[in-house]
Amino acid sequence: LISAFWILSVNSWMQTPQGFQAGQDGLLYPTSWLKIIFNPSFPYRFVHMVTAAYLTTAFTVGGIGAYYLWRRRHIAHARVIFGMAMIMAIFVAPMQMLFGDMHGLNTFKYQPTKLAAIEGLWETQRGAPLVLFALPDQEAETNRFAIEIPKVSSLILTHSLDGEVKGLKEWPADERPPVAVVFWAFRLMVGIGFLMIATGLIAIVLYLKKRLFDTRWFQLWCMALTPTG
């Protein structure tokens, strides 16, 4: 946790810098170490990343426990570690989605260019759609084969169906991130998050049916999710 604190503080400062001034020699000089350390995006990144580390560990441990249950080896120990992992999936995975949403709102405020790339939005608009699928074309400044849900991006980011979300064309081309990479990396992350939440929901149902530790297909499911963290 101490290591993550300083790593995320430094990384967050590079994303949302404050507490410094530029010297005539081109170097940056600190004016407030507290502002540098506790910069605007740091609390959100720190919580989001530490939670991700716990989930990574939980799904690795859960996959190993599922493997032992599937092979019917070390059953007593396997039940303990598999059960602990499922507790994390049940409670922590949904919390991570909430933390991610809070981080997204912070990014919308401080890094709107990045947010526009994440959302795959080129034009500034009110009632911006949520782009579920698209092939962003950075040279043509458009999305190919887009599948959209109207107004949902505005609802998520501004809590209003008609809220304004800035598009990438608001910034010069050389100040935009590589849109396709950011767009798809975000969707991969969200997709994995939903799989983790689904794992927790399935675990609840199986636990109530007293089948948590002997459902073969669920053991294979958890083994497959071992590297997702």
Side-chain angles (χ1 to χ4, degrees), residues 184-195:
W184 279 108
F186 179 78
R187 275 148 188 78
L188 177 63
M189 179 188 69
V190 172
I192 289 172
F194 278 119
L195 288 176

Side-chain angles (χ1 to χ4, degrees), residues 192-205:
I192 289 172
F194 278 119
L195 288 176
M196 290 179 170
I197 292 173
T199 301
L201 293 174
I202 295 169
I204 292 173
V205 173

Side-chain angles (χ1 to χ4, degrees), residues 23-83:
Q24 294 182 351
D25 54 6
L27 299 179
L28 306 181
Y29 293 90
T31 58
S32 171
W33 281 108
L34 282 178
K35 288 184 177 180
I36 289 171
I37 295 168
F38 297 99
N39 58 83
S41 65
F42 167 63
Y44 302 94
R45 293 175 186 278
F46 180 59
V47 171
H48 195 48
M49 190 64 246
V50 169
T51 306
Y54 278 113
L55 282 173
T56 297
T57 305
F59 274 81
T60 301
V61 169
I64 294 169
Y67 172 77
Y68 282 130
L69 290 171
W70 186 65
R71 294 290 301 272
R72 296 185 172 89
R73 296 172 55 192
H74 313 299
I75 297 297
H77 300 296
R79 288 169 66 96
V80 172
I81 64 175
F82 187 73

